[in-house]
Amino acid sequence: DIKIEPKAESDKSGTRKIVVKIKNIGAGHDIPTGVSNIRQVWLKVEVKDSKGNLIYKTGELDKKGYLPENSIIYTTVFGDGKGNPVNNFAKAREILSDKRLKPMQEHVEKIDVGAFDGNVTVEASLLYSGFPQNLADSFKELKGMRIPVVVMKEVKSVVAAK
């Protein structure tokens, strides 16, 4: 199981951020596991003001099924030994980064959503795909096949500005 807790905070400059805490409380392994450079786990966050207007969004797939660049992704990035990322595990010589959800460890994302007053509604979802759509589309045999997305956990919470 996954625990997700959104809240708001302000830094010394007065910038408001939505803080999303995620904790892997059920798996006895990192998430994602296995070929973690291919499997995708990401955080989708939507923030709406008290009138229901969208003020921030990240992690929503585009029309092609691709993740936008500002997405918060939990993955391992392998390198070729010269600091260049590689998708082919057989060519990996180093780990450039390992941002997976470790068992029983809290992971904190601080998201600058811009200015807001009063309460906001935060919808946070942890999503999983066994294969990135853009990678699938690069294979002739998989092109046009829509890769399914699994909702691992969803929360919706009203958060007071601080």
Side-chain angles (χ1 to χ4, degrees), residues 107-123:
H107 193 88
V108 178
E109 298 291 348
K110 294 185 178 188
I111 305 165
D112 184 354
V113 298
F116 63 90
D117 291 314
N119 294 342
V120 293
T121 301
V122 178
E123 294 182 43

Side-chain angles (χ1 to χ4, degrees), residues 50-133:
S50 60
K51 295 177 184 169
N53 299 313
L54 184 67
I55 59 174
Y56 180 83
K57 176 171 57 173
T58 187
E60 184 165 330
L61 298 175
D62 67 16
K63 290 178 184 177
K64 292 182 178 180
Y66 298 3
L67 278 169
E69 286 191 28
N70 72 339
S71 298
I72 301 165
I73 303 172
Y74 303 99
T75 189
T76 305
V77 178
F78 293 105
D80 62 1
K82 299 176 185 172
N84 303 306
V86 294
N87 280 329
N88 185 334
F89 187 75
K91 294 181 180 181
R93 301 292 177 261
E94 62 186 327
I95 296 174
L96 298 176
S97 67
D98 186 356
K99 184 180 178 182
R100 293 180 290 163
L101 301 171
K102 310 281 185 218
M104 301 308 292
Q105 290 184 14
E106 188 170 77
H107 193 88
V108 178
E109 298 291 348
K110 294 185 178 188
I111 305 165
D112 184 354
V113 298
F116 63 90
D117 291 314
N119 294 342
V120 293
T121 301
V122 178
E123 294 182 43
S125 305
L126 196 65
L127 304 171
Y128 168 83
S129 175
F131 208 74
Q133 188 66 52

Side-chain angles (χ1 to χ4, degrees), residues 109-158:
E109 298 291 348
K110 294 185 178 188
I111 305 165
D112 184 354
V113 298
F116 63 90
D117 291 314
N119 294 342
V120 293
T121 301
V122 178
E123 294 182 43
S125 305
L126 196 65
L127 304 171
Y128 168 83
S129 175
F131 208 74
Q133 188 66 52
N134 59 337
L135 187 57
D137 289 347
S138 71
F139 292 100
K140 180 176 71 173
E141 299 83 5
L142 298 177
K143 190 158 183 77
M145 181 178 132
R146 186 61 91 170
I147 304 299
V149 173
V150 176
V151 177
M152 297 175 70
K153 185 73 171 192
E154 285 182 305
V155 298
K156 183 175 182 178
S157 181
V158 175

Side-chain angles (χ1 to χ4, degrees), residues 15-29:
T15 301
R16 293 212 172 108
K17 296 184 187 281
I18 296 296
V19 178
V20 180
K21 295 180 181 180
I22 304 163
K23 191 170 185 180
N24 171 2
I25 59 174
H29 54 77

